[in-house]
Amino acid sequence: MRVGIVGSGRLGAPLGRLFAAAGHDVLFSDARLALAEEAAAAAEGQSGGGSPIEAARFGEVVVMAVWWEAFPTVVEELGAALGGKIVIDPSNPITRRDGAEAVVAVPDGLTSPQYQQHVLGREVRLVRTFNTKYPNELLDLGTAGQRGGPRADMPYWGDDEAAKKAVVPLIEDAGFTAIDGGGLADAL
């Protein structure tokens, strides 16, 4: 499967490495091209670096590994390139303020992925996953699972059953056990 990674930092780089190690074609991207190219160089398998718009166009599945508050801006920049795509949202409503992480209030009483779906629009098929593990442990847990070690649970949520079904093999290939958490209203 072709996977576009938008944001090649703490979360996007290890996720992309896990997908590439499992044999998926991965295009890392970032606003800083050097970061995307560095992530691609560290990955095994078929991977490259490019711009966020290139990753969005490339991917059958697009991972939006950007800070929660940056999500609306990035979606606006990518525009129609996300139309009809399956988008994985691993973000949590957390930001950095004064050097520390802080929780962001989600508007309108929605869950975080319900709000992200609203930002993306209904033509985008959102699946929430890879948000329940710390970025610094994701690569180690996934690699252990890929190599036959114990597999950590990885819940996923979505309102589009076909999109959820398409993402399950990615979760499993990344070295985790996919656990259906229900719809976006049920998400953590």
Side-chain angles (χ1 to χ4, degrees):
M1 185 176 289
R2 291 186 325 273
V3 181
I5 305 286
V6 177
S8 295
R10 297 179 341 141
L11 189 55
L15 268 178
R17 286 178 65 180
L18 291 169
F19 295 144
H24 298 283
D25 294 336
V26 178
L27 183 61
F28 292 91
S29 73
D30 201 272
R32 298 166 291 171
L33 184 57
L35 195 59
E37 291 172 344
E38 181 181 307
E44 300 173 20
Q46 185 67 28
S47 63
S51 70
I53 193 74
E54 289 171 320
R57 289 179 179 146
F58 171 83
E60 297 168 84
V61 172
V62 179
V63 177
M64 296 287 288
V66 300
W67 281 96
W68 198 84
E69 289 182 313
F71 195 92
T73 302
V74 174
V75 168
E76 186 175 325
E77 290 170 0
L78 298 178
L82 294 175
K85 299 274 181 147
I86 296 172
V87 169
I88 292 176
D89 170 27
S91 68
N92 286 309
I94 297 172
T95 192
R96 283 206 177 277
R97 292 197 180 117
D98 301 323
E101 290 187 353
V103 175
V104 177
V106 180
D108 303 323
L110 301 171
T111 65
S112 173
Q114 284 178 311
Y115 178 75
Q116 304 296 49
Q117 180 72 72
H118 172 75
V119 170
L120 286 163
R122 286 288 166 205
E123 68 279 0
V124 176
R125 304 165 66 203
L126 182 67
V127 177
R128 164 70 161 240
T129 191
F130 296 112
N131 67 305
T132 60
K133 305 290 182 247
Y134 290 108
N136 61 342
E137 68 181 358
L138 195 63
L139 185 60
D140 290 339
L141 290 171
T143 300
Q146 287 177 327
R147 293 182 178 164
R151 288 179 167 253
D153 290 346
M154 186 59 65
Y156 62 96
W157 300 266
D159 293 338
D160 181 320
E161 291 300 321
K164 287 169 55 175
K165 186 176 179 181
V167 169
V168 166
L170 284 174
I171 296 170
E172 299 281 342
D173 288 351
F176 297 92
T177 298
I179 306 292
D180 190 341
L184 297 178
D186 304 314
L188 299 177

mmCIF file of all heavy atoms in Angstrom, residues 3-8 26-37 48-59 62-63 74 77-78 81:
data_model
loop_
_atom_site.group_PDB
_atom_site.id
_atom_site.type_symbol
_atom_site.label_atom_id
_atom_site.label_comp_id
_atom_site.label_asym_id
_atom_site.label_seq_id
_atom_site.Cartn_x
_atom_site.Cartn_y
_atom_site.Cartn_z
ATOM 1 N N VAL A 3 1.624 4.823 1.399
ATOM 2 C CA VAL A 3 1.286 5.594 2.588
ATOM 3 C C VAL A 3 2.008 6.929 2.542
ATOM 4 O O VAL A 3 3.240 6.975 2.444
ATOM 5 C CB VAL A 3 1.677 4.837 3.877
ATOM 6 C CG1 VAL A 3 1.288 5.651 5.110
ATOM 7 C CG2 VAL A 3 1.044 3.454 3.919
ATOM 8 N N GLY A 4 1.246 8.006 2.601
ATOM 9 C CA GLY A 4 1.818 9.344 2.692
ATOM 10 C C GLY A 4 1.847 9.776 4.146
ATOM 11 O O GLY A 4 0.841 9.648 4.849
ATOM 12 N N ILE A 5 2.990 10.246 4.605
ATOM 13 C CA ILE A 5 3.145 10.707 5.977
ATOM 14 C C ILE A 5 3.266 12.229 5.937
ATOM 15 O O ILE A 5 4.213 12.762 5.350
ATOM 16 C CB ILE A 5 4.407 10.112 6.654
ATOM 17 C CG1 ILE A 5 4.412 8.593 6.588
ATOM 18 C CG2 ILE A 5 4.564 10.642 8.078
ATOM 19 C CD1 ILE A 5 3.475 7.889 7.512
ATOM 20 N N VAL A 6 2.314 12.915 6.528
ATOM 21 C CA VAL A 6 2.367 14.379 6.608
ATOM 22 C C VAL A 6 2.812 14.726 8.024
ATOM 23 O O VAL A 6 2.057 14.566 8.976
ATOM 24 C CB VAL A 6 1.002 15.016 6.279
ATOM 25 C CG1 VAL A 6 1.067 16.532 6.437
ATOM 26 C CG2 VAL A 6 0.566 14.642 4.864
ATOM 27 N N GLY A 7 4.052 15.162 8.133
ATOM 28 C CA GLY A 7 4.663 15.441 9.428
ATOM 29 C C GLY A 7 5.628 14.327 9.789
ATOM 30 O O GLY A 7 5.198 13.240 10.163
ATOM 31 N N SER A 8 6.918 14.571 9.647
ATOM 32 C CA SER A 8 7.926 13.525 9.859
ATOM 33 C C SER A 8 8.713 13.743 11.146
ATOM 34 O O SER A 8 9.915 13.535 11.194
ATOM 35 C CB SER A 8 8.881 13.476 8.656
ATOM 36 O OG SER A 8 8.176 13.080 7.508
ATOM 37 N N VAL A 26 6.351 4.252 1.269
ATOM 38 C CA VAL A 26 6.105 5.373 2.160
ATOM 39 C C VAL A 26 6.750 6.637 1.603
ATOM 40 O O VAL A 26 7.921 6.622 1.208
ATOM 41 C CB VAL A 26 6.669 5.087 3.573
ATOM 42 C CG1 VAL A 26 6.464 6.274 4.496
ATOM 43 C CG2 VAL A 26 6.032 3.829 4.159
ATOM 44 N N LEU A 27 5.985 7.711 1.572
ATOM 45 C CA LEU A 27 6.530 9.026 1.230
ATOM 46 C C LEU A 27 6.392 9.903 2.468
ATOM 47 O O LEU A 27 5.286 10.260 2.880
ATOM 48 C CB LEU A 27 5.798 9.662 0.044
ATOM 49 C CG LEU A 27 6.368 11.015 -0.396
ATOM 50 C CD1 LEU A 27 7.820 10.875 -0.855
ATOM 51 C CD2 LEU A 27 5.537 11.619 -1.505
ATOM 52 N N PHE A 28 7.530 10.186 3.092
ATOM 53 C CA PHE A 28 7.580 11.074 4.243
ATOM 54 C C PHE A 28 7.513 12.509 3.751
ATOM 55 O O PHE A 28 8.084 12.842 2.703
ATOM 56 C CB PHE A 28 8.896 10.891 5.005
ATOM 57 C CG PHE A 28 9.054 9.572 5.683
ATOM 58 C CD1 PHE A 28 9.658 8.501 5.034
ATOM 59 C CD2 PHE A 28 8.624 9.392 6.983
ATOM 60 C CE1 PHE A 28 9.824 7.277 5.664
ATOM 61 C CE2 PHE A 28 8.778 8.177 7.631
ATOM 62 C CZ PHE A 28 9.386 7.120 6.970
ATOM 63 N N SER A 29 6.858 13.369 4.518
ATOM 64 C CA SER A 29 6.846 14.782 4.166
ATOM 65 C C SER A 29 6.859 15.625 5.424
ATOM 66 O O SER A 29 6.522 15.155 6.514
ATOM 67 C CB SER A 29 5.622 15.134 3.312
ATOM 68 O OG SER A 29 4.447 15.148 4.105
ATOM 69 N N ASP A 30 7.249 16.858 5.250
ATOM 70 C CA ASP A 30 7.278 17.804 6.355
ATOM 71 C C ASP A 30 7.441 19.193 5.755
ATOM 72 O O ASP A 30 7.930 19.331 4.630
ATOM 73 C CB ASP A 30 8.444 17.491 7.302
ATOM 74 C CG ASP A 30 8.239 18.079 8.676
ATOM 75 O OD1 ASP A 30 8.622 19.246 8.889
ATOM 76 O OD2 ASP A 30 7.668 17.379 9.531
ATOM 77 N N ALA A 31 7.032 20.202 6.521
ATOM 78 C CA ALA A 31 7.257 21.576 6.071
ATOM 79 C C ALA A 31 8.754 21.827 5.916
ATOM 80 O O ALA A 31 9.164 22.666 5.115
ATOM 81 C CB ALA A 31 6.640 22.565 7.057
ATOM 82 N N ARG A 32 9.552 21.101 6.683
ATOM 83 C CA ARG A 32 11.021 21.151 6.559
ATOM 84 C C ARG A 32 11.455 19.903 5.791
ATOM 85 O O ARG A 32 11.508 18.810 6.349
ATOM 86 C CB ARG A 32 11.671 21.202 7.940
ATOM 87 C CG ARG A 32 11.272 22.468 8.718
ATOM 88 C CD ARG A 32 11.627 22.339 10.166
ATOM 89 N NE ARG A 32 10.745 21.314 10.743
ATOM 90 C CZ ARG A 32 10.870 20.815 11.955
ATOM 91 N NH1 ARG A 32 11.839 21.213 12.737
ATOM 92 N NH2 ARG A 32 10.016 19.914 12.413
ATOM 93 N N LEU A 33 11.753 20.054 4.518
ATOM 94 C CA LEU A 33 12.081 18.932 3.643
ATOM 95 C C LEU A 33 13.221 18.084 4.202
ATOM 96 O O LEU A 33 13.200 16.855 4.080
ATOM 97 C CB LEU A 33 12.422 19.426 2.238
ATOM 98 C CG LEU A 33 12.701 18.345 1.199
ATOM 99 C CD1 LEU A 33 11.533 17.377 1.060
ATOM 100 C CD2 LEU A 33 13.039 18.973 -0.145
ATOM 101 N N ALA A 34 14.197 18.707 4.845
ATOM 102 C CA ALA A 34 15.329 17.956 5.393
ATOM 103 C C ALA A 34 14.858 16.922 6.419
ATOM 104 O O ALA A 34 15.415 15.822 6.496
ATOM 105 C CB ALA A 34 16.346 18.915 6.020
ATOM 106 N N LEU A 35 13.841 17.246 7.194
ATOM 107 C CA LEU A 35 13.309 16.316 8.184
ATOM 108 C C LEU A 35 12.660 15.106 7.491
ATOM 109 O O LEU A 35 12.828 13.967 7.925
ATOM 110 C CB LEU A 35 12.294 17.027 9.084
ATOM 111 C CG LEU A 35 11.894 16.336 10.372
ATOM 112 C CD1 LEU A 35 13.097 16.071 11.273
ATOM 113 C CD2 LEU A 35 10.887 17.187 11.117
ATOM 114 N N ALA A 36 11.944 15.357 6.410
ATOM 115 C CA ALA A 36 11.322 14.261 5.648
ATOM 116 C C ALA A 36 12.387 13.367 5.015
ATOM 117 O O ALA A 36 12.276 12.136 5.040
ATOM 118 C CB ALA A 36 10.400 14.828 4.573
ATOM 119 N N GLU A 37 13.421 13.971 4.468
ATOM 120 C CA GLU A 37 14.484 13.184 3.842
ATOM 121 C C GLU A 37 15.263 12.382 4.882
ATOM 122 O O GLU A 37 15.663 11.249 4.630
ATOM 123 C CB GLU A 37 15.396 14.107 3.040
ATOM 124 C CG GLU A 37 14.693 14.663 1.813
ATOM 125 C CD GLU A 37 15.486 15.731 1.085
ATOM 126 O OE1 GLU A 37 16.445 16.284 1.670
ATOM 127 O OE2 GLU A 37 15.138 16.011 -0.078
ATOM 128 N N GLY A 48 10.707 7.579 0.501
ATOM 129 C CA GLY A 48 11.316 8.794 -0.001
ATOM 130 C C GLY A 48 10.802 9.978 0.784
ATOM 131 O O GLY A 48 9.952 9.848 1.659
ATOM 132 N N GLY A 49 11.336 11.143 0.475
ATOM 133 C CA GLY A 49 10.921 12.365 1.139
ATOM 134 C C GLY A 49 10.374 13.358 0.140
ATOM 135 O O GLY A 49 10.787 13.369 -1.017
ATOM 136 N N GLY A 50 9.443 14.192 0.582
ATOM 137 C CA GLY A 50 8.851 15.179 -0.300
ATOM 138 C C GLY A 50 8.063 16.207 0.487
ATOM 139 O O GLY A 50 8.170 16.296 1.708
ATOM 140 N N SER A 51 7.235 16.931 -0.213
ATOM 141 C CA SER A 51 6.415 17.969 0.400
ATOM 142 C C SER A 51 5.106 17.356 0.904
ATOM 143 O O SER A 51 4.708 16.277 0.455
ATOM 144 C CB SER A 51 6.102 19.068 -0.616
ATOM 145 O OG SER A 51 5.203 18.579 -1.598
ATOM 146 N N PRO A 52 4.417 18.040 1.821
ATOM 147 C CA PRO A 52 3.127 17.526 2.284
ATOM 148 C C PRO A 52 2.115 17.294 1.154
ATOM 149 O O PRO A 52 1.400 16.288 1.162
ATOM 150 C CB PRO A 52 2.654 18.591 3.268
ATOM 151 C CG PRO A 52 3.930 19.127 3.844
ATOM 152 C CD PRO A 52 4.871 19.168 2.653
ATOM 153 N N ILE A 53 2.066 18.181 0.176
ATOM 154 C CA ILE A 53 1.109 17.988 -0.919
ATOM 155 C C ILE A 53 1.479 16.751 -1.739
ATOM 156 O O ILE A 53 0.606 16.002 -2.186
ATOM 157 C CB ILE A 53 0.969 19.259 -1.798
ATOM 158 C CG1 ILE A 53 -0.251 19.158 -2.716
ATOM 159 C CG2 ILE A 53 2.209 19.529 -2.613
ATOM 160 C CD1 ILE A 53 -1.559 19.323 -2.046
ATOM 161 N N GLU A 54 2.775 16.494 -1.909
ATOM 162 C CA GLU A 54 3.203 15.290 -2.625
ATOM 163 C C GLU A 54 2.793 14.031 -1.846
ATOM 164 O O GLU A 54 2.334 13.055 -2.436
ATOM 165 C CB GLU A 54 4.715 15.301 -2.844
ATOM 166 C CG GLU A 54 5.162 16.329 -3.867
ATOM 167 C CD GLU A 54 6.671 16.487 -3.922
ATOM 168 O OE1 GLU A 54 7.327 16.479 -2.856
ATOM 169 O OE2 GLU A 54 7.188 16.634 -5.061
ATOM 170 N N ALA A 55 2.964 14.060 -0.535
ATOM 171 C CA ALA A 55 2.586 12.905 0.290
ATOM 172 C C ALA A 55 1.082 12.667 0.237
ATOM 173 O O ALA A 55 0.633 11.527 0.158
ATOM 174 C CB ALA A 55 3.047 13.112 1.725
ATOM 175 N N ALA A 56 0.296 13.742 0.283
ATOM 176 C CA ALA A 56 -1.160 13.611 0.227
ATOM 177 C C ALA A 56 -1.604 13.034 -1.117
ATOM 178 O O ALA A 56 -2.517 12.205 -1.163
ATOM 179 C CB ALA A 56 -1.825 14.962 0.473
ATOM 180 N N ARG A 57 -0.969 13.443 -2.181
ATOM 181 C CA ARG A 57 -1.322 12.916 -3.512
ATOM 182 C C ARG A 57 -0.849 11.479 -3.683
ATOM 183 O O ARG A 57 -1.503 10.675 -4.338
ATOM 184 C CB ARG A 57 -0.731 13.802 -4.596
ATOM 185 C CG ARG A 57 -1.406 15.149 -4.696
ATOM 186 C CD ARG A 57 -0.784 16.017 -5.758
ATOM 187 N NE ARG A 57 -1.464 17.297 -5.847
ATOM 188 C CZ ARG A 57 -0.868 18.441 -6.138
ATOM 189 N NH1 ARG A 57 0.426 18.471 -6.413
ATOM 190 N NH2 ARG A 57 -1.558 19.554 -6.182
ATOM 191 N N PHE A 58 0.290 11.145 -3.101
ATOM 192 C CA PHE A 58 0.909 9.830 -3.232
ATOM 193 C C PHE A 58 0.135 8.739 -2.493
ATOM 194 O O PHE A 58 -0.063 7.646 -3.004
ATOM 195 C CB PHE A 58 2.347 9.906 -2.680
ATOM 196 C CG PHE A 58 3.032 8.585 -2.545
ATOM 197 C CD1 PHE A 58 3.654 7.995 -3.633
ATOM 198 C CD2 PHE A 58 3.078 7.922 -1.322
ATOM 199 C CE1 PHE A 58 4.295 6.771 -3.515
ATOM 200 C CE2 PHE A 58 3.710 6.698 -1.184
ATOM 201 C CZ PHE A 58 4.329 6.118 -2.296
ATOM 202 N N GLY A 59 -0.296 9.040 -1.288
ATOM 203 C CA GLY A 59 -0.824 8.005 -0.409
ATOM 204 C C GLY A 59 -2.217 7.521 -0.749
ATOM 205 O O GLY A 59 -3.114 8.313 -0.997
ATOM 206 N N VAL A 62 -3.262 8.412 4.059
ATOM 207 C CA VAL A 62 -2.445 9.555 4.465
ATOM 208 C C VAL A 62 -2.481 9.664 5.982
ATOM 209 O O VAL A 62 -3.562 9.725 6.574
ATOM 210 C CB VAL A 62 -2.953 10.872 3.825
ATOM 211 C CG1 VAL A 62 -2.110 12.058 4.288
ATOM 212 C CG2 VAL A 62 -2.957 10.763 2.304
ATOM 213 N N VAL A 63 -1.314 9.663 6.597
ATOM 214 C CA VAL A 63 -1.194 9.824 8.046
ATOM 215 C C VAL A 63 -0.930 11.301 8.330
ATOM 216 O O VAL A 63 0.068 11.852 7.873
ATOM 217 C CB VAL A 63 -0.054 8.956 8.619
ATOM 218 C CG1 VAL A 63 0.085 9.196 10.125
ATOM 219 C CG2 VAL A 63 -0.278 7.488 8.314
ATOM 220 N N VAL A 74 -3.014 22.713 8.126
ATOM 221 C CA VAL A 74 -2.443 21.741 7.193
ATOM 222 C C VAL A 74 -3.523 21.206 6.258
ATOM 223 O O VAL A 74 -3.298 21.066 5.051
ATOM 224 C CB VAL A 74 -1.731 20.607 7.956
ATOM 225 C CG1 VAL A 74 -1.251 19.521 7.004
ATOM 226 C CG2 VAL A 74 -0.565 21.155 8.771
ATOM 227 N N GLU A 77 -4.156 23.693 3.588
ATOM 228 C CA GLU A 77 -3.064 23.715 2.602
ATOM 229 C C GLU A 77 -3.151 22.535 1.639
ATOM 230 O O GLU A 77 -2.831 22.677 0.464
ATOM 231 C CB GLU A 77 -1.712 23.695 3.319
ATOM 232 C CG GLU A 77 -1.398 24.976 4.057
ATOM 233 C CD GLU A 77 -0.175 24.857 4.972
ATOM 234 O OE1 GLU A 77 0.440 23.763 5.036
ATOM 235 O OE2 GLU A 77 0.151 25.863 5.626
ATOM 236 N N LEU A 78 -3.585 21.378 2.139
ATOM 237 C CA LEU A 78 -3.652 20.186 1.293
ATOM 238 C C LEU A 78 -4.907 20.145 0.432
ATOM 239 O O LEU A 78 -4.915 19.516 -0.622
ATOM 240 C CB LEU A 78 -3.553 18.929 2.155
ATOM 241 C CG LEU A 78 -2.250 18.776 2.938
ATOM 242 C CD1 LEU A 78 -2.294 17.525 3.795
ATOM 243 C CD2 LEU A 78 -1.051 18.776 2.019
ATOM 244 N N ALA A 81 -6.415 17.516 -2.338
ATOM 245 C CA ALA A 81 -5.549 16.334 -2.408
ATOM 246 C C ALA A 81 -5.992 15.246 -1.431
ATOM 247 O O ALA A 81 -5.669 14.072 -1.610
ATOM 248 C CB ALA A 81 -4.092 16.725 -2.137
#
